[in-house]
Amino acid sequence: MSKKNKNIQKSTSEFIFQKRNYLFLFIGLAFIALGFILMTGGGSDDPNVFNPDIYNFRRIRLAPTLVLVGLGIQVYAILLNPNKKKK
């Protein structure tokens, strides 16, 4: 047999993400969860009574903004290269 056939390549199993990636993933999930929690409530038990709390700042502006920021953090965490050396 030739020497080429005897050389066996070792396969190393290594995770794609590192600790820093997972940290940003969990931060993004926390932002998304907080945004959805802030969207809850404001309903009325009686359908004939209008509750203006459903249109307040927290539910219309703040909560969706937190969800979008969380999604942005998730994208950043996926694209983050933890092996890149700082200059």
Side-chain angles (χ1 to χ4, degrees):
M1 295 195 134
S2 67
K3 290 183 180 181
K4 290 182 181 179
N5 291 340
K6 291 182 180 180
N7 292 337
I8 299 173
Q9 294 178 350
K10 293 181 181 178
S11 64
T12 60
S13 62
E14 186 177 315
F15 290 114
I16 296 173
F17 292 147
Q18 300 296 324
K19 182 179 179 181
R20 190 169 179 198
N21 293 91
Y22 287 114
L23 176 68
F24 279 104
L25 280 172
F26 289 126
I27 291 171
L29 283 175
F31 268 85
I32 293 170
L34 181 62
F36 278 108
I37 289 169
L38 290 176
M39 278 190 225
T40 61
S44 177
D45 294 332
D46 185 11
N48 296 323
V49 177
F50 176 71
N51 188 357
D53 286 340
I54 198 165
Y55 296 113
N56 65 6
F57 173 79
R58 184 185 73 178
R59 289 186 181 89
I60 298 297
R61 301 276 186 222
L62 182 63
T65 303
L66 284 176
V67 171
L68 290 175
V69 167
L71 290 173
I73 293 172
Q74 295 286 36
V75 170
Y76 175 74
I78 292 170
L79 297 177
L80 179 66
N81 185 0
N83 298 327
K84 185 177 179 181
K85 304 263 181 179
K86 292 183 181 179
K87 290 183 179 182

